[in-house]
Amino acid sequence: MTIDEIVGAGLGKKSGYIKGLGYGPKPNTTRATQRRTTELEDSLKKAKQEAARAQNELQNRLNAAETVVESQQSHIQDQQSQIKALNFQLNTIAARQEEMLKKCNFLLAHRCQS
């Protein structure tokens, strides 16, 4: 037998018995319950508002971070373009130096023969 069955057999059904819940205090349906419900609803509303504020703040921070990333990516692309241009100039200068060196060697070789 369960405790509720033992209590029911010994005491019978009384006003403290709630079908399906057993013996114990009756649910409070007074103003206190209504006040507590209102307090919980207010607390839930405040929690939702705070969550919405936090979400907005995080979204703003994410947007700011994305803006920084986009700016940095643009800067990196600019730098890569500059590097390509400088490499081209360097290769052009190196090729000209090579040509000049060949000309100098040619001229020196002809002077020595004369």
Side-chain angles (χ1 to χ4, degrees):
M1 281 181 105
T2 66
I3 294 176
D4 286 343
E5 291 171 341
I6 295 170
V7 172
L11 299 176
K13 292 194 177 189
K14 292 187 173 185
S15 62
Y17 182 81
I18 301 171
K19 187 172 184 175
L21 298 177
Y23 292 93
K26 289 184 181 181
N28 191 355
T29 57
T30 62
R31 288 185 199 147
T33 300
Q34 292 172 347
R35 185 176 36 236
R36 181 67 179 144
T37 301
T38 302
E39 289 172 359
L40 290 173
E41 288 172 348
D42 289 343
S43 177
L44 178 61
K45 183 179 177 181
K46 288 177 184 177
K48 285 181 178 181
Q49 289 172 344
E50 182 59 32
R53 276 194 294 272
Q55 183 177 5
N56 286 338
E57 174 63 24
L58 289 173
Q59 186 63 48
N60 291 339
R61 290 171 66 184
L62 176 62
N63 292 342
E66 287 173 344
T67 301
V68 169
V69 168
E70 289 172 2
S71 174
Q72 288 174 343
Q73 286 174 336
S74 176
H75 188 65
I76 288 169
Q77 289 173 347
D78 290 343
Q79 287 178 334
Q80 287 173 334
S81 295
Q82 290 174 358
I83 289 170
K84 285 181 183 179
L86 290 172
N87 279 332
F88 179 77
Q89 290 175 358
L90 181 63
N91 290 336
T92 302
I93 291 170
R96 285 183 183 164
Q97 283 178 337
E98 186 67 29
E99 287 176 28
M100 290 174 72
L101 184 61
K102 285 180 184 179
K103 286 180 183 179
C104 286
N105 286 335
F106 178 77
L107 290 172
L108 285 175
H110 280 94
R111 278 192 181 174
C112 289
Q113 292 175 356
S114 329

